[in-house]
Amino acid sequence: MNKKTPRVCTLARACSVALAVFAHPALSADWMPELSIPARGSFGPSDAIRIVLPKLSYESLQRLTLELDDIDVTGLASRETHQLVFTPPQAMTWGQHHLRLIEHTPDGDIIERGVWTLEVRKNSRFREAELDSHITLNLVQRISDDQLVNAPKRGQANAGAQLRGAIANGDWRVHGNADVLYNSQEAQMPLANNQVDMGTYLLTGSTGMFSVNAGHHSVVPDGLVMQSYTRRGVSASVSSAESGASLTGFGLRTEDITSTQEGFDIGEVNHRINGVTATVYPVSSDRDALLVAATYLSGVGANQISIGAGGDTTATSGRAGSLIADGNLLEKHVRLRGEYAATEFDFDGRDTGNPPEHDQAYSAVAIFTPWHQLAVKNQPMAISVGVENKRIGTFFRSPAAPSGSTDREGIRGFASFDWFGLNAQLSLGHETDNVNDLALLPRTQATQGVVALTYAPLQIPTPEGQLPSPAWYGQPIYNITYADMDQVVKKAAAALASGALHATRYTTLSAMFNYTTWNWSISHTYGKDDDFINAAPDTESRMTQLSTYVRLGEKFWMNPSVQFSEVANRDNRSLDSDTTTAGLNLGYAYSQKISSNLGYSVNRQQVNDGSTNTRSHDLTGNLSWMLQPVQGRKPGIALTLEGQHHDAEDRVTSSNDQNYYQVFLKISVAWQATY
């Protein structure tokens, strides 16, 4: 047999249940490496991997390549006596990893000297078992004050903990995360009656084809029937790793709730959305070719976004279903996505006796990307164009899209271009309302266009690989954005007559210039708003911002900024208004443990007719002493002295004047522990 021909793999060494290491024999009879197993019989995520080698010549060592999970890590390995040692630069993930040692022969062939499969485990019982905690505690004492109104208690405390844990073995895994909150001021807590409570949390379990989620999570990607819908509840899924198909059933809270109230909220049938969603990939050989997803849901609950929010709390009910197809054609140069949905919704309350309203919606998007890997003058160029057509009926409403748009029909085109630091984004759309063409409602049309250009010249490295020094004007970033929207009434009704309705346009110019130790930026925005039915005043607005950041040495930095804005009322110039805001922030580090910050800001607002004329000055500062930095499981402790002074003068209503200060002493404890 040729020495450079692969031979049948043999087991290099038997392992305990805690570590499965399978070694394949070398493809050359000259020599064979051996993997050294730690004394405890298992590898940890950060353990050094040692491979025992025979005595080899320097030329043979230079021809060796070490790969971990198909990534070349030779440059991170070192030689110790007769061992090749690789220490992972970051912790390896739990589970199996593949290690490979190959030799490149002088005549260009490759000899596979050894192949091993490593299973990184926590211990003999669990492949994965860990708990991460990030805890912060703040103890605050107000030690001095003057003229405070409705002052809170002098002593306050607040804390937060982010907990994450996981345990796994075989094909099962349980993972959880939770936010725990503490505040000595109960009124600031989610339920306003407990000092300790929970924020969001999620518990996930999986085994084989099955998985379960309980807590705050999203089930269906954003679409017509579910939009930004993260709620507390439960879901269960069954999926196929081979085909990618999945089926998920879920029950989620209608309103967005936090804290420990209602537990997992499984039994509250009058405040719940139930549903099922299925996903399949019809082209088994290529999952990117086509995805088909179907969703059905029904829900009952208050017509509001979150507990405690204002608005209509009428108990409503509804049903919704959608079908989505998303695929790629022509070697992924064309992407097509279409969605059709139908809803049945009871707008005026489920107990009024009035029938629910039925309606439909659809959306279709096509995106064309001419090239996936196009380079012009050795710089990658990306170009894409697309078109979207959407129709959402007047009475279309899904219980899982409480803030979703309705009564819209339109078409929008968009394009993007990126090359050599130049990025361009363009969007142009035309939209109408009253798509159900109700006789008593007007019909309006809106045309909107947006164009944004950004240019950040790239720095070309020298042949030695060094970036050149910035020019006298620094390393710049330029941007210009223009937006225009015009609305017209196409069908008159009620108090609206046919003709122009509203027009809004604005232009923003901005630039930033970066240097080695400082930068500065400037921006200006001009806007014009015309209301042709005199429901609101016609206005012109201007806003200019200027800021800079300067670092002097290693200890001192400063950040001055100023903003001017004015709004001209073209119907009544006596109502013109202007606002000026300026600020200066300073920072100084006396040492690695002691630092200070000082901030000052001034704000002026006035209206020409004298109805508003205010001035305010704010001064803040702190001196912080890091008693102990966070080191592993050792908590960090910082002591801070903070002060604030506020002086506000209302030259129209002197009773609104304010002048107070307060000084705090704060102890902060930060603890990051992993078990």
Side-chain angles (χ1 to χ4, degrees):
M1 176 185 295
N2 190 313
K3 293 182 180 181
K4 299 175 184 178
T5 302
R7 295 183 298 176
V8 179
C9 297
T10 59
L11 186 64
R13 185 170 181 175
C15 310
S16 65
V17 176
L19 172 65
V21 181
F22 302 94
H24 301 261
L27 303 186
S28 171
D30 295 338
W31 59 274
M32 178 183 293
E34 181 182 359
L35 181 68
S36 178
I37 302 174
R40 66 175 182 275
S42 64
F43 278 95
S46 301
D47 285 352
I49 298 175
R50 298 175 178 273
I51 300 176
V52 180
L53 304 174
K55 187 175 182 180
L56 299 174
S57 66
Y58 176 79
E59 291 76 13
S60 297
L61 290 173
Q62 292 295 104
R63 295 196 298 265
L64 296 180
T65 297
L66 183 65
E67 296 179 354
L68 179 65
D69 295 331
D70 297 324
I71 298 176
D72 188 347
V73 295
T74 309
L76 301 175
S78 61
R79 171 80 170 175
E80 295 182 6
T81 314
H82 297 302
Q83 292 186 345
L84 186 65
V85 182
F86 167 69
T87 302
Q90 60 185 20
M92 294 185 292
T93 57
W94 306 108
Q96 290 188 341
H97 296 268
H98 302 285
L99 188 68
R100 183 170 178 244
L101 183 66
I102 60 177
E103 179 183 358
H104 299 269
T105 65
D107 55 3
D109 289 335
I110 295 177
I111 302 176
E112 196 172 59
R113 290 295 181 181
V115 177
W116 302 271
T117 299
L118 315 176
E119 187 173 11
V120 178
R121 299 182 62 88
K122 183 70 174 182
N123 51 46
S124 60
R125 296 183 61 187
F126 299 109
R127 178 184 70 251
E128 179 180 354
E130 59 182 347
L131 174 64
D132 294 335
S133 61
H134 297 264
I135 304 170
T136 58
L137 170 65
N138 297 305
L139 303 175
V140 183
Q141 179 69 33
R142 192 171 69 254
I143 59 178
S144 180
D145 61 76
D146 182 49
Q147 300 187 40
L148 288 180
V149 178
N150 298 323
K153 296 179 180 179
R154 285 189 171 274
Q156 301 175 28
N158 61 78
Q162 296 177 330
L163 308 177
R164 187 189 69 85
I167 187 169
N169 198 35
D171 66 348
W172 65 267
R173 185 175 189 269
V174 177
H175 173 270
N177 60 72
D179 296 329
V180 181
L181 311 173
Y182 166 77
N183 196 319
S184 60
Q185 301 184 81
E186 297 177 355
Q188 298 181 5
M189 295 295 286
L191 293 181
N193 59 7
N194 291 322
Q195 292 183 341
V196 180
D197 213 329
M198 293 186 67
T200 60
Y201 57 86
L202 178 63
L203 182 66
T204 301
S206 62
T207 177
M209 299 173 59
F210 303 96
S211 63
V212 177
N213 293 282
H216 299 82
H217 63 294
S218 301
V219 179
V220 180
D222 275 9
L224 293 172
V225 300
M226 267 196 167
Q227 295 180 15
S228 302
Y229 205 77
T230 299
R231 296 292 190 270
R232 183 187 296 176
V234 297
S235 65
S237 302
V238 57
S239 59
S240 169
E242 181 178 352
S243 67
S246 65
L247 178 67
T248 301
F250 56 88
L252 303 175
R253 178 81 179 198
T254 312
E255 301 87 12
D256 187 10
I257 59 174
T258 57
S259 78
T260 54
Q261 63 173 330
E262 308 297 341
F264 288 118
D265 202 48
I266 299 176
E268 189 57 69
V269 296
N270 292 322
H271 295 273
R272 195 175 68 199
I273 290 177
N274 299 313
V276 61
T277 181
T279 301
V280 296
Y281 298 88
V283 182
S284 58
S285 60
D286 183 7
R287 294 187 187 180
D288 290 332
L290 180 61
L291 173 151
V292 177
T295 300
Y296 171 81
L297 58 88
S298 64
V300 178
N303 186 17
Q304 61 181 29
I305 296 177
S306 62
I307 291 294
D312 185 9
T313 58
T314 303
T316 59
S317 63
R319 297 186 297 168
S322 73
L323 181 65
I324 298 174
D326 193 343
N328 295 279
L329 301 173
L330 304 178
E331 297 181 341
K332 299 182 180 181
H333 290 290
V334 177
R335 181 192 175 191
L336 300 177
R337 185 187 188 279
E339 180 178 6
Y340 171 80
T343 63
E344 173 189 283
F345 199 83
D346 195 343
F347 286 87
D348 57 359
R350 58 191 305 230
D351 299 322
T352 62
N354 297 323
E357 298 285 353
H358 298 77
D359 220 324
Q360 302 173 346
Y362 70 80
S363 70
V365 180
I367 301 175
F368 175 55
T369 304
W371 305 278
H372 291 306
Q373 294 180 341
L374 174 66
V376 177
K377 293 186 177 180
N378 297 321
Q379 294 297 324
M381 177 183 291
I383 302 174
S384 66
V385 295
V387 62
E388 177 185 29
N389 183 253
K390 181 182 290 187
R391 182 192 186 280
I392 304 176
T394 304
F395 300 106
F396 181 89
R397 174 70 179 271
S398 168
S403 58
S405 61
T406 59
D407 196 19
R408 294 288 186 272
E409 181 177 23
I411 186 169
R412 180 178 69 95
F414 51 92
S416 67
F417 172 84
D418 192 278
W419 176 71
F420 207 60
L422 176 64
N423 179 271
Q425 303 288 330
L426 174 66
S427 175
L428 181 63
H430 180 75
E431 187 176 77
T432 65
D433 61 7
N434 191 13
V435 297
N436 289 16
D437 200 18
L438 301 179
L440 298 180
L441 295 180
R443 187 178 184 90
T444 66
Q445 292 184 352
T447 302
Q448 181 172 353
V450 179
V451 58
L453 297 175
T454 301
Y455 179 52
L458 299 180
Q459 290 184 290
I460 306 299
T462 64
E464 294 76 22
Q466 302 294 324
L467 290 177
S469 299
W472 65 267
Y473 52 82
Q475 180 66 18
I477 301 175
Y478 307 102
N479 175 266
I480 178 172
T481 301
Y482 174 77
D484 187 315
M485 185 179 73
D486 293 284
Q487 292 178 288
V488 298
V489 179
K490 300 299 292 184
K491 187 188 77 171
L496 284 180
S498 298
L501 177 61
H502 202 96
T504 301
R505 55 191 56 85
Y506 74 85
T507 303
T508 297
L509 302 170
S510 66
M512 173 178 282
F513 302 91
N514 296 287
Y515 299 82
T516 304
T517 60
W518 68 289
N519 64 63
W520 70 280
S521 64
I522 185 171
S523 68
H524 179 76
T525 299
Y526 169 79
K528 187 176 182 181
D529 191 270
D530 293 296
D531 189 281
F532 300 106
I533 61 173
N534 297 320
D538 297 338
T539 62
E540 285 187 10
S541 61
R542 293 175 175 84
M543 183 175 68
T544 302
Q545 295 176 293
L546 178 65
S547 67
T548 183
Y549 172 86
V550 180
R551 190 178 75 245
L552 300 177
E554 298 296 326
K555 295 186 175 183
F556 179 76
W557 60 266
M558 60 186 300
N559 175 213
S561 63
V562 63
Q563 175 182 297
F564 305 97
S565 63
E566 59 179 1
V567 178
N569 188 317
R570 291 183 288 136
D571 295 334
N572 185 352
R573 298 308 300 264
S574 66
L575 297 179
D576 289 0
S577 63
D578 64 83
T579 302
T580 301
T581 302
L584 175 63
N585 293 303
L586 305 173
Y588 186 78
Y590 300 94
S591 65
Q592 292 184 347
K593 291 188 175 182
I594 301 177
S595 62
S596 63
N597 288 278
L598 181 66
Y600 173 75
S601 65
V602 57
N603 179 274
R604 188 201 71 178
Q605 293 180 293
Q606 61 183 18
V607 178
N608 282 359
D609 66 354
S611 60
T612 300
N613 191 346
T614 64
R615 306 286 191 276
S616 67
H617 303 264
D618 286 277
L619 181 65
T620 60
N622 69 70
L623 179 64
S624 180
W625 180 17
M626 179 62 69
L627 300 175
Q628 176 178 290
V630 177
Q631 294 180 343
R633 297 183 182 181
K634 193 175 182 180
I637 304 174
L639 180 64
T640 305
L641 181 67
E642 296 182 353
Q644 174 193 13
H645 179 261
H646 176 70
D647 181 12
E649 178 187 9
D650 190 328
R651 298 184 178 181
V652 178
T653 307
S654 59
S655 60
N656 293 331
D657 291 355
Q658 294 179 329
N659 192 328
Y660 66 82
Y661 77 84
Q662 49 187 338
V663 180
F664 300 95
L665 184 63
K666 181 169 70 174
I667 298 177
S668 300
V669 180
W671 185 29
Q672 301 179 12
T674 301
Y675 298 94

